[in-house]
Amino acid sequence: MTIPQLLLVAVYGLCLAFIFSYSLVQLHLTYLFWTRRKTMPAPEAIPDESYTWPAVTVQLPLYNERYVVERLIDAVAALDYPLHLLQIQLLDDSTDDTSELIRQKFDSYASTGLRLEHVRRPDRNGYKAGALQYGLQQATGEFIAIFDADFVPQPDFLKRTIPAFDHEKVGVVQTRWGHLNRDYSLLTRLQAFGLDAHFTIEQVGRNSGGHFINFNGTAGVWRKSCIIDAGGWQSDTLTEDLDLSYRAQLRGWQFRYLQDVNAPAELPAAMGALKSQQYRWTKGAAETARKHLGKVLQTPMPLSTRLHAVFHLLNSSIFVCVLLTALLSTPMLYLKHGVPGLELLFALGSLLIISLLALLVFYWTSRYQQTGSAWLTTKRFIPEFFLFLSLSMGMSLHNTVAVLEGYLGRKTPFIRTPKHNLQNRRDSWRQHAYAITSLHPVTLLEGLLTVYFGYGILVGFRLQDYGLMPFHVMLMLGFGSVFVYSLNHSRRA
């Protein structure tokens, strides 16, 4: 083989190896879920009147949230907690009429005795992390509950989470996200499909196995002293939640995950909003990996915990490996039929099948927890899994750009995900002020990749090699869907 061919094969093999290793980690989390979920603390009844409730500060970071801010205030005002122990901070960085809506809403609660504080900063320095740190300096609570603007916590949220701080080293209690608009569209159903697996299998698996988990940025409660001890909120990554989670756990703080406490929220309904959210999550994860991977490798901890932490920090890199594997798959078909003696090497392609089976078990388990029926799970699971995997592949180019920027240290501003108060299919986001109308240059490349993977299917037919054809079909469908959604949603916004 020539040197370029050797490089091509080496990159392809390394990407396959990473995907395979990642899928094994997900499979191990599934194993931990099945074998240790019964050892997780059972949901306890709300303590009786003799329980001594601590002071709690609820922080609501806001930036231009005119469609959901009133709903959020009503939900937090309905929290069942002693009023004299409750402080509610609206950390408002808004530049539109959101601030006026907050003031009007405050007037309606003026006689209730509720301690509502409208906190305005002189500038938006540090974005969400900066707002949380600014509010922390004025927080009177021993514990800090945080909700993003699109969340609607249940009235008993605090009374079901605060008792979980049953040890002085418990620094965080995280709860599961629910979905207010799961059935709004196919796009929201597929997002819910993926998030449910994270909040069911990953969080339970990691927590029950004694491994690092992450605060998810919202719908959780921090011990104030934990935040301070870990160095406070920092804005040098786009995922301030993951960053602080690792700093706290590396200092010995324990995290608790309560799967049975559900905090519903709104899923992005437009492709532009989803891409904005995915960009922030994947780039922020890469930035956090760059910041903490060395510390994870150097800090004494069990080998299994170290391995899980490494893949947890590197999980956004899966998009880079998927994209490279996809791009190289068609040239590899030509190599397979043009260069003799590579049969053993190409047999490694079976790693993709094993990886797929591992992910199938992972996501099937998540779906099964909702239905409780193997037949109903499988019936609904097959099309959803196929479409979810295709869409994830289709997002790989967009997310790869974000990941590479994160590893290279290129700084970009925190772009919040637009929220539109979408409850049912009759609600529309298209005429709202926050609808994203611009198209990223990557969108054109996504369209070209749709054609490229269609060509890969034709190559398979021409060479009578059908092993990669299902992979190419999913890639063509995924990139085509992302491309069409991006154009359509931008045009109709």
Side-chain angles (χ1 to χ4, degrees):
M1 286 193 297
T2 64
I3 292 179
Q5 289 173 335
L6 283 172
L7 288 174
L8 186 150
V9 170
V11 172
Y12 187 75
L14 287 173
C15 289
L16 279 180
F18 184 86
I19 294 171
F20 178 67
S21 300
Y22 172 83
S23 66
L24 289 183
V25 170
Q26 301 302 92
L27 189 61
H28 185 244
L29 289 174
T30 309
Y31 168 79
L32 290 175
F33 174 84
W34 281 114
T35 57
R36 302 194 185 183
R37 62 193 177 113
K38 292 183 179 180
T39 65
M40 294 284 285
E44 298 179 1
I46 294 175
D48 58 28
E49 296 179 357
S50 64
Y51 186 84
T52 302
W53 295 101
V56 175
T57 296
V58 179
Q59 291 189 324
L60 311 174
L62 302 168
Y63 177 70
N64 295 352
E65 305 289 2
R66 67 167 65 153
Y67 302 111
V68 295
V69 66
E70 293 173 296
R71 181 184 69 183
L72 174 67
I73 295 173
D74 287 336
V76 174
L79 288 171
D80 180 17
Y81 205 77
L83 289 184
H84 69 287
L85 297 173
L86 187 62
Q87 174 194 30
I88 300 173
Q89 294 180 330
L90 280 91
L91 308 176
D92 178 27
D93 287 344
S94 300
T95 57
D96 64 357
D97 59 349
T98 300
S99 300
E100 180 59 31
L101 292 172
I102 292 172
R103 284 188 283 269
Q104 293 174 10
K105 201 66 179 176
F106 274 22
D107 291 341
S108 67
Y109 285 101
S111 61
T112 64
L114 195 63
R115 186 179 172 186
L116 293 165
E117 299 180 3
H118 192 181
V119 181
R120 296 279 289 173
R121 296 190 291 162
D123 54 55
R124 200 182 168 219
N125 184 46
Y127 305 104
K128 181 181 177 180
L132 292 172
Q133 186 65 22
Y134 187 85
L136 188 69
Q137 298 168 10
Q138 306 170 37
T140 59
E142 179 184 351
F143 297 96
I144 311 293
I146 300 173
F147 298 102
D148 282 348
D150 54 330
F151 276 73
V152 185
Q154 300 297 320
D156 62 355
F157 182 90
L158 292 178
K159 287 192 172 181
R160 296 187 67 188
T161 53
I162 295 299
F165 289 92
D166 55 2
H167 188 277
E168 62 181 9
K169 290 304 291 182
V170 176
V172 172
V173 171
Q174 175 65 53
T175 68
R176 179 169 56 89
W177 292 5
H179 315 295
L180 293 169
N181 60 331
R182 173 193 294 270
D183 296 319
Y184 183 82
S185 67
L186 176 62
L187 198 59
T188 57
R189 287 199 300 274
L190 295 180
Q191 291 176 69
F193 180 87
L195 286 170
D196 287 345
H198 168 71
F199 282 99
T200 302
I201 312 303
E202 284 190 290
Q203 292 289 61
V204 172
R206 289 194 179 103
N207 205 210
S208 63
H211 307 313
F212 285 16
I213 68 170
N214 61 291
F215 171 63
N216 292 104
T218 177
V221 184
W222 283 82
R223 190 187 294 271
K224 183 179 178 181
S225 59
C226 173
I227 299 176
I228 295 171
D229 179 68
W233 296 102
Q234 298 175 7
S235 59
D236 55 345
T237 76
L238 291 179
T239 47
E240 74 293 324
D241 45 4
L242 181 62
D243 170 39
L244 183 56
S245 296
Y246 266 77
R247 282 189 277 122
Q249 288 170 109
L250 285 168
R251 289 188 60 80
W253 288 94
Q254 300 171 13
F255 283 26
R256 295 276 171 84
Y257 176 63
L258 303 182
Q259 186 187 8
D260 296 299
V261 181
N262 182 353
E266 180 181 323
L267 294 163
M271 179 55 74
L274 175 60
K275 281 185 169 181
S276 174
Q277 183 186 72
Q278 288 286 308
Y279 175 89
R280 190 175 71 249
W281 287 357
T282 51
K283 180 175 181 177
E287 290 175 326
T288 306
R290 179 180 175 178
K291 183 175 180 179
H292 293 299
L293 193 57
K295 298 173 187 175
V296 166
L297 294 174
Q298 296 170 14
T299 302
M301 65 180 74
L303 178 60
S304 60
T305 298
R306 193 189 310 279
L307 285 174
H308 275 283
V310 167
F311 277 94
H312 188 194
L313 287 171
L314 295 178
N315 65 0
S316 62
S317 300
I318 194 70
F319 291 106
V320 180
C321 292
V322 167
L323 180 64
L324 288 174
T325 302
L327 291 173
L328 296 177
S329 59
T330 299
M332 292 298 286
L333 277 176
Y334 283 115
L335 265 183
K336 181 179 179 181
H337 290 267
V339 180
L342 297 178
E343 291 78 8
L344 180 61
L345 177 64
F346 286 104
L348 292 177
S350 60
L351 292 180
L352 275 178
I353 299 175
I354 299 174
S355 301
L356 182 65
L357 290 176
L359 293 177
L360 188 147
V361 172
F362 176 81
Y363 285 103
W364 186 92
T365 300
S366 171
R367 170 58 83 180
Y368 178 74
Q369 300 313 303
Q370 299 175 36
T371 65
S373 165
W375 164 243
L376 288 177
T377 297
T378 304
K379 181 181 177 181
R380 296 189 59 183
F381 171 79
I382 293 174
E384 284 188 339
F385 180 68
F386 174 79
L387 292 173
F388 170 76
L389 214 56
S390 297
L391 185 68
S392 299
M393 292 177 180
M395 292 289 291
S396 63
L397 175 61
H398 175 270
N399 289 346
T400 291
V401 172
V403 171
L404 294 179
E405 286 184 351
Y407 285 139
L408 293 173
R410 181 178 180 270
K411 296 300 180 181
T412 50
F414 183 104
I415 306 298
R416 71 99 168 88
T417 306
K419 294 103 178 175
H420 301 283
N421 195 4
L422 304 175
Q423 297 290 331
N424 54 64
R425 296 182 181 182
R426 293 189 301 274
D427 298 330
S428 176
W429 52 268
R430 292 180 174 86
Q431 303 305 318
H432 282 189
Y434 309 139
I436 297 175
T437 59
S438 59
L439 278 175
H440 195 281
V442 165
T443 302
L444 176 60
L445 294 177
E446 289 165 344
L448 293 175
L449 285 177
T450 305
V451 178
Y452 175 75
F453 293 116
Y455 171 73
I457 295 173
L458 295 177
V459 170
F461 276 117
R462 192 173 72 181
L463 297 176
Q464 296 184 353
D465 189 330
Y466 308 109
L468 288 175
M469 194 163 293
F471 184 48
H472 285 151
V473 169
M474 294 175 70
L475 286 164
M476 185 178 72
L477 177 63
F479 278 101
S481 298
V482 171
F483 176 67
V484 171
Y485 266 127
S486 298
L487 290 181
N488 189 38
H489 286 176
S490 175
R491 179 179 60 84
R492 297 174 67 182

